[in-house]
Each structure stands twice: as structure tokens, then as C-alpha cells.
Amino acid sequence: MDALEAELSGAQYAGLSDADAAAAINARTVTLRVPVETWRIRQAAIEAGYWATLLDAREVPATRALALNVLAWLDDQSGVIRTVDMDRPAAVAMRSALVAAGVCTQAQADELAALADVSMPWTASVGLPEVGIGLVRNARRSLNG
């Protein structure tokens, strides 16, 4: 309820009826960064056409270590590594190294990073259900009371 009260204290809700405020809150979306499943990264690389280039890079001395490290993350046979935090310094460095080695383009590396962007309703992001008039009324009472 604290998150709803804080949201309703915003100027954009001041002149709205309870019903209109509820509708506006339910329509609000946010983008969050989340860990990406390794299968989605593999799929993106396959569909973009550079998975084979990454596999071939294992055989080139200059790119062998990079390719093996990336593949160890994405093809973990133990099943321990299921997701990758795309904002983790190691993941950022690997994407940069893949571009520098010519395995993928900067645009493709940016597409990989964008896999971590997830849009969701604001209410879900703060653990609220869909907001109805009753929740708005209660939150406003709490704010004014």
C-alpha cells in the first residue's frame, strides 16, 4: 500500500477521480532489467547468424579463450548456469570482446543486451494486484488522514 500511496501523491493524479486514477495506474508500465535465460541468448545468436562464427572462433588461437568462455556460459551442460545478468561487468566485457573479435556486430551485441529489458505493469513491479477504485480510495484516505 505504501507504493500506491507514494504513486498517488504525484501531481498527475491530483485532479483525477478515483476511477480515472485507478485506470491511469493500471495503464502505467515500467521497464526492468532482468537476468536472461541462456537458451534465449543462444537462440538470438543462432537467429542472427553468428552462433556458427562463435563456434568456429574456438579454433582460432586469438579468439579461442573468448569463445570457450562464452560457450561455457551459454552451453553449460551441468545446468547450473541458467541465466545471465547482462549488466554484470563480465557479461558486458564479453559482449565487447565478441564485437572486437568480429564474432558479432555492435548492433547484435546491443540486441543481446536488450534481451534483459522487460516491460511490465507498474502494479506488478511493486507487488500490487490490479488497482481498483477501493484501493485508490483507501490510499487517498491514508494520505489525507
Side-chain angles (χ1 to χ4, degrees):
M1 208 52 173
D2 291 340
L4 181 57
E5 290 172 14
E7 181 67 16
L8 283 169
S9 68
Q12 68 271 30
Y13 303 105
L16 298 180
S17 69
D18 294 340
D20 289 342
I25 288 169
N26 289 323
R28 182 173 173 219
T29 60
V30 295
T31 300
L32 303 175
R33 299 283 289 170
V34 298
V36 180
E37 295 89 353
T38 54
W39 71 264
R40 291 184 60 215
I41 299 168
R42 282 191 309 273
Q43 181 180 26
I46 292 165
E47 290 175 354
Y50 58 90
W51 182 256
T53 305
L54 177 59
L55 295 176
D56 290 345
R58 295 177 299 184
E59 306 306 321
V60 178
T63 56
R64 180 174 171 72
L66 171 64
L68 290 174
N69 286 334
V70 171
L71 291 168
W73 246 3
L74 300 181
D75 236 1
D76 176 35
Q77 299 301 311
S78 70
V80 173
I81 302 173
R82 294 183 182 162
T83 62
V84 175
D85 176 349
M86 294 303 236
D87 297 327
R88 186 178 172 152
V92 173
M94 282 188 189
R95 283 194 313 274
S96 294
L98 289 170
V99 172
V103 173
C104 67
T105 66
Q106 185 60 55
Q108 290 167 329
D110 293 344
E111 289 170 5
L112 286 178
L115 291 174
D117 293 330
V118 175
S119 286
M120 64 175 29
W122 174 81
T123 52
S125 76
V126 295
L128 289 172
E130 183 173 327
V131 172
I133 296 170
L135 282 177
V136 171
R137 285 182 183 150
N138 289 338
R140 283 180 164 168
R141 273 191 215 117
S142 180
L143 283 171
N144 296 325

